[in-house]
Amino acid sequence: MKALFGGSFNPVHNGHLILARDVVEDFGFEKLFFVPAKVQPLKGKLLIPPEVRLSALRAAVSLYPRFDVWDFELKSEGVSYTYRTLEHFHRLYGERPAFVLGADSFASLPRWKEPQRVLELARLVVMARPGYSPDFEEVFRQLGLCPKFIIVEKEGVELPQEWDVALYRGRLLDISATEIRRRLLEGDSISYFVPEQVEKILRRWRDGLQQNV
Ligand code: ATP
C-alpha cells in the first residue's frame, strides 16, 4: 500500500520525517509521498515560498528510499482540497492509499471540504502529537460515519485486513514548524530540528530575506 502525507511543510522538520519513517516501517507501506499544500499567506504567519518548501522537502526525502515528494497541489490551479488530490491519486494508481496526518489535523476533519469523500478514497493514519487528544467518536459522529477504527502501538502489531482509521500511538515528538520559523527569523540555530541539507536551504533563504530588508 502507498501512503500520502499532506501538510504545509512550512518547513519540513525532523518531527515529520522521523514519524513518517516510523509509519512506513510499522505499517509496511511501500512508498510515502509528501504532498506539500498550496497555502495562502496568512496574516501574521510567515509563509516560506513554495519553491523553498519544495526544495527542502526534496533534500529531506533523498535520505530515505521509501520517501518521495508529489508536487500535485503546488502545480494545481486554485485552492487544493485533499479529496481532489485523492481523486487524482486514484486515477493514477487505482488504489485506496493511506493518508497520514497529525492528531491536531484530524480534529479539524469535520471542517474539511467533503470529509466523507476523503475517507471513502483513503484510510487515515492519525499520528499522536503532544498536547492533542482528539475525540475520535465525536469526529465520526459529526461526519455521520462508522469507520473501522484500530489503535496501532509502535512496532509489532499485526494489522487487520480491513481498517479505515488508525490511531498510531508511536513516538511523541514536540517539534513544530512554528517554532522553527520563529528560531529562523530570530537568528537562533535550527540545527537538529531539520536535516543538515534542509538547514542550508532555509538559511540561504533567510539570508536573502534579510539582504532585501
Ligand atoms: P505549524 O507549526 O506551522 O502548524 P506543523 O509543524 O504542524 O506546522 P504541518 O506542515 O502543518 O507542520 O504538518 C503536516 C502534518 O504533520 C499535519 O497533519 C500535522 O498534524 C503533522 N505533524 C506535524 N508535526 C507533528 C508532530 N511533531 N507530531 C505529530 N504530527 C505532526
Side-chain angles (χ1 to χ4, degrees):
M1 194 189 297
K2 297 183 183 63
L4 302 181
F5 186 9
S8 49
F9 303 112
N10 181 33
V12 62
H13 54 66
N14 286 339
H16 299 128
L17 295 161
I18 293 169
L19 288 171
R21 188 183 52 191
D22 284 348
V23 164
V24 164
E25 288 175 353
D26 290 343
F27 286 77
F29 296 139
E30 55 181 284
K31 199 100 197 164
L32 178 142
F33 296 92
F34 288 74
V35 187
K38 203 156 47 175
V39 187
Q40 307 301 331
L42 302 170
K43 214 173 155 202
K45 182 166 171 180
L46 176 86
L47 182 65
I48 301 171
E51 62 282 7
V52 178
R53 289 187 287 131
L54 186 60
S55 49
L57 269 172
R58 290 211 164 111
V61 302
S62 68
L63 303 172
Y64 185 55
R66 281 197 266 170
F67 281 168
D68 209 336
V69 181
W70 188 33
D71 58 359
F72 171 73
E73 294 191 0
L74 291 184
K75 287 193 309 206
S76 311
E77 290 293 319
V79 189
S80 9
Y81 294 112
T82 299
Y83 84 93
R84 288 217 187 115
T85 304
L86 291 168
E87 282 176 348
H88 194 71
F89 184 89
H90 187 77
R91 279 194 291 275
L92 287 178
Y93 294 102
E95 64 175 82
R96 185 177 180 227
F99 186 83
V100 178
L101 73 177
D104 53 316
S105 307
F106 174 77
S108 69
L109 189 63
R111 298 195 298 279
W112 292 20
K113 189 98 173 158
E114 307 280 352
Q116 291 84 358
R117 184 90 178 114
V118 169
L119 260 161
E120 202 180 301
L121 289 160
R123 296 166 178 85
L124 300 185
V125 174
V126 183
M127 303 183 300
R129 185 169 192 177
Y132 298 92
S133 39
D135 181 342
F136 283 81
E137 290 307 319
E138 177 55 22
V139 170
F140 299 150
R141 197 192 57 74
Q142 286 182 32
L143 297 177
L145 295 175
C146 204
K148 187 154 179 15
F149 176 62
I150 58 170
I151 296 181
V152 177
E153 308 286 344
K154 194 164 165 36
E155 283 166 29
V157 175
E158 281 264 331
L159 290 174
Q161 278 287 331
E162 295 296 325
W163 57 275
D164 298 304
V165 178
L167 165 60
Y168 179 56
R169 278 208 291 236
R171 279 177 234 273
L172 286 174
L173 295 173
D174 192 6
I175 305 179
S176 74
T178 304
E179 181 181 359
I180 294 166
R181 290 194 300 275
R182 183 189 59 69
R183 294 181 71 93
L184 253 180
L185 293 185
E186 292 177 0
D188 292 340
S189 163
I190 56 164
S191 297
Y192 316 125
F193 284 112
V194 298
E196 231 175 285
Q197 278 171 288
V198 170
E199 184 181 350
K200 279 193 195 133
I201 291 168
L202 294 173
R203 281 222 309 261
R204 215 178 304 133
W205 165 72
R206 181 199 55 198
D207 294 347
L209 263 190
Q210 286 170 344
Q211 274 166 18
N212 292 331
V213 171

